[in-house]
Amino acid sequence: MPTSILLVDDHPVVREGYRRLIERQPGLVVVAEAEDAASAYHQYKAHAPDLVILDLSLSGPSGIEAIRHIRQWDGAARILVFSMLTGAVIVRQAFATGASGYVSKASPPRELLTAVAAVLRGERPMSDDIARAIARDEVAGGRSVLDDLSPRELEILSLTAGGMTAQAVADALCLSLKTVHNNLSVIRATLGARTDAHLVWIAIGAGLVCSAEAPPVSDS
């Protein structure tokens, strides 16, 4: 029997690319797709796939919520995260919620396929950049200033620190502009950030984004 896979990503073109990559491999078949956390949960219940490949940045509730709900339904579910988010905080949160492995979208396609095989063998694979982020975090003591943020707040901070405007973040996460601004206010208060520039540097220091990705921000 082929290994059945559920793809979860909010971009249809991206899902199509992953489907083509996966189904070129003998013994792998994509049996369902989902664009958000709610549909991921329903598709998992309907198809009971052998593996879920899931992005964390989804429209509406985050991929962390999708992992949580799927694992509540099936404690043995195998879920491989494939995401642009590479900070140690969000990686640890994904594993704590029930992820089986974590690969960044910056990785070569072969690394995703290698991770798929590893998860199916019962291992907990990470791409090289994710492993380095975790190692840096452990050297620093394993505690981040971002640990008090919710998954949604982490997503908003990551996208903002990566250079997206509040409106772009709202569009990407299917939120209202007011909701994004309210979340940013909570994030600033939680982190003690005095300015937008300070907020970006906190995100860089915590490994949520790298300095090369962060935009120049006025300190006003």
Side-chain angles (χ1 to χ4, degrees):
M1 293 293 291
T3 296
S4 56
I5 295 175
L6 165 62
L7 285 179
V8 185
D9 193 290
D10 60 353
H11 294 93
V13 173
V14 173
R15 292 199 306 272
E16 178 62 23
Y18 297 157
R19 175 188 281 272
R20 290 176 181 271
L21 172 67
I22 290 166
E23 293 191 334
R24 285 202 297 264
Q25 311 308 309
L28 300 181
V29 60
V30 176
V31 296
E33 299 180 14
E35 63 181 3
D36 54 36
S39 59
Y41 175 67
H42 291 305
Q43 292 285 21
Y44 188 89
K45 290 177 66 177
H47 296 275
D50 298 311
L51 176 68
V52 180
I53 299 177
L54 172 144
D55 191 3
L56 293 184
S57 298
L58 302 175
S59 301
S62 71
I64 294 290
E65 292 302 308
I67 295 171
R68 181 176 293 113
H69 290 150
I70 290 172
R71 287 301 298 267
Q72 286 173 345
W73 171 258
D74 179 4
R78 290 178 286 197
I79 304 172
L80 175 60
V81 173
F82 190 47
S83 178
M84 291 178 62
L85 299 177
T86 59
V89 175
I90 194 68
V91 174
R92 290 204 316 271
Q93 194 166 36
F95 276 116
T97 307
S100 307
Y102 202 117
V103 176
S104 81
K105 285 187 174 180
S107 304
R110 175 55 55 183
E111 196 155 6
L112 172 62
L113 298 175
T114 299
V116 166
V119 170
L120 294 174
R121 291 194 301 267
E123 301 171 11
R124 291 167 62 85
M126 291 181 283
S127 56
D128 290 343
D129 52 349
I130 298 299
R132 288 193 297 269
I134 293 295
R136 288 193 300 266
D137 185 64
E138 290 178 353
V139 169
R143 173 67 186 176
S144 169
V145 294
L146 305 185
D147 284 343
D148 293 327
L149 299 182
S150 70
R152 174 60 80 201
E153 289 165 352
L154 281 171
E155 286 182 319
I156 290 173
L157 174 59
S158 176
L159 295 175
T160 301
M164 292 178 66
T165 65
Q167 183 62 65
V169 173
D171 293 341
L173 300 180
C174 293
L175 302 172
S176 70
L177 183 60
K178 180 178 179 181
T179 297
V180 172
H181 281 308
N182 288 343
N183 274 271
L184 285 171
S185 294
V186 171
I187 292 167
R188 291 189 189 96
T190 301
L191 300 181
R194 299 179 298 276
T195 64
D196 286 344
H198 189 193
L199 194 65
V200 170
W201 282 109
I202 290 174
I204 293 172
L208 193 61
V209 295
C210 69
S211 57
E213 295 171 341
V217 182
S218 170
D219 204 26
S220 60

